[in-house]
Amino acid sequence: MGKSSARTLRISTLALAMAMLGCSSRDVPAVPAASTKISWGQTPEGQPVELYTLTNAKGSEARIMTYGGVVVSLKVPDRSGALGDVVAGFDNLEGYLIPPPYFGAIIGRYGNRIGGGRFSVGGMEYQLAKNNGANHLHGGVRGFDKRVWSAKPLSLQSLELSYLSKDGEEGYPGNLSAKVTYTLTDAHELRIEYSATTDKETIVNLTNHSYFNLDGEGDILGHQVMIHADQFTPVDKGLIPTGELKSVAGTPFDFRMAKTIGERIEQKDEQLIFGQGYDHNWVLNRTGPGLETAAKVTDSKSGRVMEVLTTEPGLQFYTGNFLDGTLKGKGRVYAKRSAFCMETQHFPDSPNKPAFPSTVLKPGDTYRTTTVYRFSTI
Ligand code: GLA
């Protein structure tokens, strides 16, 4: 839906509500304004999918669909105030059913890889699908990115999604009740709050897999990146962490001072060769449990700046190395390195790396994390 038609719909809904309640235009009813919703087709199994539009007071707009909890579009101003869509995606649901490599989706139960798809928790060993070579990736064959979430609009700017993942789904133990709230604030922030509870000891590591391009087109090699991390977790050929926390000093992984993505990406570095570019987890420098800045990305062309704040210990910075130009949407071709991801998370393969921060969730405890993508301009 275009911006003006969304607004017309909202105004007419308000007018209708006022007429029904017998209000004059001066006493607006105390009904919370809800985000607009349209039907967006159905899954091959016949489940209806809805698309919600969140709009902030300054005109920024996020569209979220119930399939995968996907951020379908995110329009924020450039330095001249013109709104532009900064995430990769498609024009219709069909584009997402192919499926694409997790465009904009909620990832669960476990963001990134688990070595051999095997882990133990609560004294039991579990074998998950090996859907990425010998390893398990992003929750398996049908992870949270391929499930229809229930939506509850909280306001014009906030949408709560929930999903109950049944005991044994994709091989994971416990009924996991997951909730993700997207809020588009007036400070041009997309705030994502994740929570989950279980009835059996399990593991959980949720994230969002939006692919950003702050200019909306072209490659992202000229974007300047700062990552607030002194260390990263090197990987083997299968992209499973070796367990080492390696200093970024003197490596192409040192983003403590802003560098363009392209400056060192083609260096003959073993880690860059394994990832075919950046596809690694950074160990964020943290001072406490609250929201702290993880990264900042600046695009001097559009003037857009994106800051990532999180409560999580890790950040997977992925430079779209596996995009190959076969996917197209929104009039764009998704070529190699035409978008980047900043997936806030616990470290990959944590269930098999006792020294990494734990991803275990026990009955009675609540998993809670928050990540904010904050947009501004220079
Ligand atoms: C993550 C992984 C990558 C790749 C993408 C999706 O970021 O780390 O290796 O699988 O998801 O294509």
Side-chain angles (χ1 to χ4, degrees):
M1 187 185 319
K3 203 175 133 210
S4 57
S5 47
R7 181 148 297 147
T8 313
L9 179 65
R10 229 178 309 128
I11 292 167
S12 50
T13 311
L14 185 66
L16 182 69
M18 286 167 69
M20 283 166 66
L21 293 169
C23 299
S24 77
S25 60
R26 268 177 295 139
D27 30 47
V28 177
V31 183
S35 48
T36 62
K37 163 180 124 174
I38 60 164
S39 160
W40 224 41
Q42 53 180 47
T43 66
E45 299 80 35
Q47 276 183 285
V49 175
E50 291 149 359
L51 181 71
Y52 285 83
T53 302
L54 311 181
T55 315
N56 77 4
K58 310 223 170 94
S60 282
E61 180 199 277
R63 295 195 305 161
I64 317 279
M65 70 162 161
T66 52
Y67 181 77
V70 168
V71 179
V72 169
S73 65
L74 180 58
K75 293 181 183 162
V76 293
D78 68 6
R79 67 158 67 84
S80 70
L83 289 182
D85 190 351
V86 295
V87 295
F90 302 96
D91 309 288
N92 49 43
L93 175 63
E94 286 62 43
Y96 292 92
L97 298 175
I98 310 168
Y102 310 98
F103 277 23
I106 297 169
I107 304 297
R109 295 189 187 190
Y110 199 96
N112 216 277
R113 294 175 178 79
I114 297 176
R118 191 175 306 118
F119 68 97
S120 294
V121 72
M124 296 281 290
E125 195 171 311
Y126 296 93
Q127 179 65 58
L128 308 171
K130 295 177 186 173
N131 61 325
N132 187 250
N135 303 316
H136 178 83
L137 175 68
H138 290 336
V141 177
R142 194 164 168 217
F144 288 5
D145 59 298
K146 298 176 189 74
R147 305 279 173 179
V148 177
W149 293 64
S150 302
K152 182 169 140 197
L154 303 179
S155 73
L156 252 185
Q157 296 178 219
S158 193
L159 181 71
E160 180 186 281
L161 298 175
S162 46
Y163 177 66
L164 173 66
S165 174
K166 296 269 176 61
D167 187 15
E169 184 179 285
E170 291 294 317
Y172 290 94
N175 288 296
L176 187 82
S177 171
K179 212 172 258 182
V180 176
T181 303
Y182 285 106
T183 304
L184 185 64
T185 74
D186 288 340
H188 302 298
E189 297 167 326
L190 182 66
R191 187 183 175 94
I192 314 180
E193 289 162 301
Y194 304 84
S195 67
T197 53
T198 183
D199 58 3
K200 197 190 273 181
E201 194 163 335
T202 191
I203 55 167
V204 61
N205 188 26
L206 307 180
T207 191
N208 176 276
H209 211 306
S210 287
Y211 284 68
F212 298 98
N213 181 324
L214 299 185
D215 193 36
E217 57 181 23
D219 67 48
I220 40 93
L221 298 174
H223 284 40
Q224 291 224 322
V225 169
M226 187 284 291
I227 302 177
H228 195 48
D230 293 336
Q231 296 173 308
F232 73 111
T233 52
V235 289
D236 65 18
K237 278 197 184 98
L239 302 184
I240 298 296
T242 59
E244 185 193 356
L245 305 186
K246 190 175 155 79
S247 169
V248 295
T251 77
F253 293 80
D254 190 348
F255 282 98
R256 291 173 296 182
M257 303 278 275
K259 300 270 184 199
T260 63
I261 293 176
E263 187 176 324
R264 299 163 298 175
I265 201 166
E266 297 296 352
Q267 278 185 17
K268 299 277 164 281
D269 173 279
E270 187 185 57
Q271 287 298 312
L272 286 176
I273 293 165
F274 285 167
Q276 297 182 39
Y278 296 105
D279 188 0
H280 295 76
N281 171 70
W282 270 254
V283 179
L284 297 171
N285 295 343
R286 300 203 54 93
T287 60
L291 262 185
E292 293 181 9
T293 301
K296 182 175 177 180
V297 186
T298 306
D299 170 43
S300 49
K301 229 170 125 204
S302 64
R304 289 192 185 93
V305 176
M306 181 177 88
E307 284 169 90
V308 183
L309 296 93
T310 189
T311 58
E312 287 281 52
L315 178 79
Q316 186 82 14
F317 173 45
Y318 168 61
T319 46
N321 313 312
F322 303 127
L323 297 175
D324 61 5
T326 51
L327 294 173
K328 299 177 181 73
K330 305 182 182 179
R332 305 171 189 178
V333 175
Y334 298 117
K336 184 171 177 177
R337 303 195 178 134
S338 59
F340 67 93
C341 303
M342 286 200 162
E343 301 150 71
T344 53
Q345 61 183 12
H346 271 53
F347 309 166
D349 203 31
S350 295
N352 297 308
K353 300 283 184 319
F356 287 180
S358 173
T359 52
V360 171
L361 179 67
K362 295 188 173 150
D365 290 347
T366 302
Y367 165 93
R368 253 183 239 288
T369 74
T370 302
T371 292
V372 173
Y373 296 98
R374 177 186 293 159
F375 296 88
S376 57
T377 53
I378 46 160

